[in-house]
Amino acid sequence: MSWRVLVSKIPKSKTLTPKFPSLVSNPKPNLSIFSSPFSTSFLITKTPKKYRKKRSKPDSPRTKPVQNPHLESILQRDSYFRFLTRSKSFLSTQPEHALRLDDTGKLYRELGFPGGRKVSRFLQRHPTIFATYRHADNKMWVGFTKFMEELLLEEKEIMNEMESDIVNKVRKLLMMSKYKRIPLSKIHHCRLLFGVPDDFRDRVAKYPEFFRIVMEDDGKRILELVKWDPLFAVSAIEREFLVDEDRVKKMFKFPVKYVKDLGLEYDEMKKLNSLNTLPMVSLYSDRWRFDLWSLEAEKYRIGVVHEFLRLTLEKRASIHHIVEFKEEFRLTRQTYQMLKKQPQTFYLAGTEMNSDVFLKDAYDGDGVLIVRDPQVVFNDRLHTYDQIQEGELGYGDDTT
């Protein structure tokens, strides 16, 4: 197909009348700019896109890391042992601690490995913990080794010895909650944080003087507090304040807003800010009734998170586990930003969308937990055994 370019010419007999008033006063206007028969659209008036300077993208909340090598390494350790932790927890609840190998692909979330992968690849990395064997039905099954079964018995003994401490932790959680009641499903979901055994829902019946299970209309089971104990209604912050008042004063900061023209010295600023920082709000009270965005309500939420972390085994928790109790503890969507303003006490490892909250004073300078619970000691031993290669312990792949 041929193309024709039609160029219209302006007759000489006709004159152009300028459309702009400034051109009317000019007796001899330059009309050549109006009568050009050619287009100038081919001229490049902007820098081509490929030559433009690229703007740096802002850090995404999903990828923006927070720098701290010691505590960040703990998250890397958790990632490395994720399959061990989740598979151990899931298999322990199965009959005879075994699962058909064909069913593992559907349970990749429960077992802690990526979907679409073969579980056999992950089992090979943990030869002292997991083993595969052929059952009487001629199907391949996954279970624990004999060595791991002995470790599970040892872990059960530790939990039995620590049962009274576990019960007290749950009692304090209920006393901190808004209406002194928490769904059992939430406690079960966060059981590894507090060292709560998997069969805690059955053990509740042993303590009718402390707990009561209420069945709601939708079938949800709620754990309620039966008896209030004033001896437990003292937070860790209040106990530490009696021992070292100056240290507690430095733990939190709620600065007062003021103009720079005041020209305050550092000591004067410190005294002024202390008016907002102290006194802290008691957690075991009805102070949750404060206005949601008031300073007192923020103090209350900060104290609740601090006490929540004190009750955990490793004095840390995922931000998702903390926010899971937002209704019971009256937390808000700004929990991450609220904790970020208290760097003296909390350290937020990982990314903003998937972070872990640490109590800084519970760890030494090398990122080692100062006071370790017996269950933490057991988990560290388990991680050590898990890295031992097959045959080094003298056990085979026998399962019980």
Side-chain angles (χ1 to χ4, degrees):
M1 179 184 295
S2 61
W3 294 82
R4 295 182 180 179
V5 180
L6 300 179
V7 180
S8 59
K9 295 184 179 180
I10 302 176
K12 295 182 180 180
S13 59
K14 294 184 179 181
T15 59
L16 293 176
T17 304
K19 296 182 179 180
F20 305 98
S22 59
L23 298 177
V24 177
S25 59
N26 189 355
K28 295 181 179 181
N30 184 10
L31 302 180
S32 61
I33 60 175
F34 298 100
S35 60
S36 176
F38 302 104
S39 173
T40 60
S41 61
F42 65 90
L43 296 176
I44 299 178
T45 58
K46 294 183 178 180
T47 305
K49 187 175 182 180
K50 62 180 180 179
Y51 295 118
R52 295 177 192 173
K53 186 178 180 180
K54 295 183 179 180
R55 296 181 180 178
S56 58
K57 295 182 179 180
D59 293 330
S60 170
R62 297 184 182 274
T63 60
K64 184 179 179 180
V66 187
Q67 301 298 328
N68 190 308
H70 300 295
L71 298 182
E72 294 289 343
S73 63
I74 297 178
L75 299 188
Q76 297 175 5
R77 182 203 65 184
D78 291 347
S79 178
Y80 179 81
F81 291 110
R82 180 180 293 113
F83 176 78
L84 169 64
T85 304
R86 293 190 181 181
S87 296
K88 166 183 166 294
S89 178
F90 185 80
L91 281 178
S92 298
T93 61
Q94 300 302 306
E96 300 182 2
H97 295 172
L99 183 68
R100 283 181 54 181
L101 190 62
D102 295 338
D103 297 336
T104 55
K106 305 174 184 178
L107 301 170
Y108 65 92
R109 290 189 181 91
E110 290 81 357
L111 298 178
F113 67 95
R117 304 286 183 87
K118 292 184 178 181
V119 71
S120 57
R121 294 180 54 189
F122 296 89
L123 294 175
Q124 293 173 359
R125 303 175 186 175
H126 312 275
T128 60
I129 307 297
F130 305 105
T132 58
Y133 63 97
R134 191 171 296 277
H135 200 263
D137 58 0
N138 204 27
K139 297 288 185 180
M140 294 299 297
W141 287 65
V142 180
F144 292 124
T145 62
K146 183 180 178 180
F147 175 72
M148 184 59 190
E149 290 288 356
E150 294 179 359
L151 288 179
L152 291 178
L153 293 177
E154 182 181 346
E155 182 184 29
K156 187 175 181 180
E157 293 178 0
I158 294 175
M159 287 191 173
N160 291 337
E161 295 174 357
M162 304 295 296
E163 183 171 337
S164 59
D165 293 338
I166 296 172
V167 170
N168 291 338
K169 287 182 181 181
V170 178
R171 291 173 64 188
K172 290 179 75 69
L173 287 174
L174 291 172
M175 291 174 65
M176 284 194 302
S177 62
K178 187 174 180 180
Y179 296 114
K180 313 302 177 287
R181 61 201 310 264
I182 298 177
L184 265 173
S185 58
K186 293 187 177 182
I187 297 177
H188 181 76
H189 182 248
C190 300
R191 64 189 183 279
L192 297 181
L193 285 179
F194 307 102
V196 176
D198 185 72
D199 60 346
F200 179 76
R201 288 175 287 192
D202 300 328
R203 301 193 186 197
V204 168
K206 296 167 54 179
Y207 303 95
E209 68 276 15
F210 299 144
F211 307 117
R212 177 175 54 244
I213 298 180
V214 179
M215 187 74 68
E216 294 192 339
D217 297 336
D218 56 357
K220 184 183 298 184
R221 292 191 294 178
I222 307 296
L223 185 65
E224 291 186 349
L225 182 69
V226 173
K227 182 180 179 181
W228 178 274
D229 192 343
L231 297 178
F232 284 177
V234 181
S235 64
I237 299 177
E238 293 172 323
R239 290 194 299 268
E240 293 173 6
F241 184 81
L242 298 176
V243 177
D244 192 347
E245 181 178 346
D246 294 334
R247 176 179 169 275
V248 175
K249 289 180 179 180
K250 299 176 182 178
M251 290 176 59
F252 307 101
K253 287 185 179 180
F254 301 92
V256 179
K257 295 183 179 180
Y258 55 86
V259 295
K260 295 182 179 180
D261 295 340
L262 292 179
L264 299 178
E265 298 293 337
Y266 175 77
D267 293 338
E268 296 173 338
M269 293 169 53
K270 187 177 178 180
K271 292 180 181 179
L272 184 61
N273 292 335
S274 65
L275 298 177
N276 270 357
T277 303
L278 297 174
M280 294 294 292
V281 179
S282 177
L283 313 179
Y284 301 96
S285 63
D286 293 338
R287 299 300 179 91
W288 56 267
R289 299 181 184 275
F290 283 131
D291 180 63
L292 188 62
W293 304 112
S294 64
L295 178 62
E296 289 77 10
E298 184 175 353
K299 290 182 181 180
Y300 170 80
R301 290 191 292 268
I302 287 287
V304 164
V305 174
H306 184 275
E307 188 75 358
F308 182 90
L309 295 177
R310 279 292 180 191
L311 296 177
T312 60
L313 291 178
E314 299 187 26
K315 307 302 181 285
R316 67 184 179 98
S318 168
I319 190 71
H320 301 293
H321 286 151
I322 297 175
V323 178
E324 187 172 355
F325 293 88
K326 63 180 181 180
E327 295 179 0
E328 289 76 16
F329 298 150
R330 209 178 179 229
L331 302 177
T332 67
R333 295 182 179 180
Q334 305 298 325
T335 300
Y336 179 88
Q337 300 298 334
M338 177 187 70
L339 299 176
K340 194 175 180 180
K341 294 188 298 184
Q342 306 295 335
Q344 300 85 359
T345 302
F346 304 108
Y347 174 74
L348 284 76
T351 61
E352 182 175 343
M353 299 296 292
N354 189 23
S355 61
D356 269 37
V357 184
F358 288 76
L359 281 181
K360 296 177 67 174
D361 60 355
Y363 292 81
D364 61 14
D366 297 328
V368 179
L369 191 63
I370 299 175
V371 180
R372 300 197 302 168
D373 188 273
Q375 293 190 50
V376 176
V377 176
F378 173 84
N379 291 333
D380 291 343
R381 288 175 52 212
L382 179 62
H383 294 163
T384 302
Y385 293 143
D386 179 62
Q387 299 178 69
I388 298 177
Q389 297 300 318
E390 184 178 3
E392 295 183 12
L393 291 172
Y395 291 88
D397 289 341
D398 298 334
T399 57
T400 57

